[in-house]
Amino acid sequence: MSTELIGTTETALALAVVKTLVLVVGGVITFFAFKAYRRTRQRALGYLATGFGIVTLGLVLAGMLYEVLRVPLALGILLESLLVLIGFLVIAYSLYVQ
């Protein structure tokens, strides 16, 4: 077995672990922000929860599209980046709105 193949497998495994952790942590943050919104009914917290949800989805999307739907990796990364941008814009708006 070549060293290059081992490095690729290890990198793919590490990426899967990190993306899974991003999904879990992002999901927890989104859950707590949504829970705070439901408790207070403050619009800003609703936008914050939405923004974190969109960012979390975006950060996990590229790998899922590539592995599951066989979308070209560059297109998956572009969609991922667009969702992260939109999520950050929503988070920024949530900090501005009161």
Side-chain angles (χ1 to χ4, degrees):
M1 189 176 274
S2 72
T3 308
E4 185 177 323
L5 182 59
I6 293 172
T8 303
T9 303
E10 291 170 350
T11 302
L13 179 61
L15 184 59
V17 168
V18 169
K19 289 289 189 175
T20 301
L21 290 172
V22 165
L23 179 61
V24 170
V25 174
V28 168
I29 292 170
T30 302
F31 171 75
F32 283 126
F34 182 71
K35 190 174 169 183
Y37 164 72
R38 285 188 46 195
R39 186 177 59 248
T40 64
R41 293 293 179 198
Q42 289 185 3
R43 232 174 37 161
L45 286 174
Y47 285 125
L48 186 67
T50 301
F52 276 118
I54 293 170
V55 167
T56 301
L57 175 66
L59 290 173
V60 174
L61 187 66
M64 293 290 292
L65 288 173
Y66 177 72
E67 291 293 331
V68 176
L69 300 177
R70 300 294 181 211
V71 170
L73 188 57
L75 180 59
I77 292 171
L78 175 62
L79 292 173
E80 171 189 41
S81 299
L82 286 172
L83 282 175
V84 170
L85 174 63
I86 291 167
F88 281 148
L89 289 170
V90 172
I91 290 169
Y93 183 72
S94 79
L95 297 173
Y96 177 74
V97 169
Q98 190 55 7

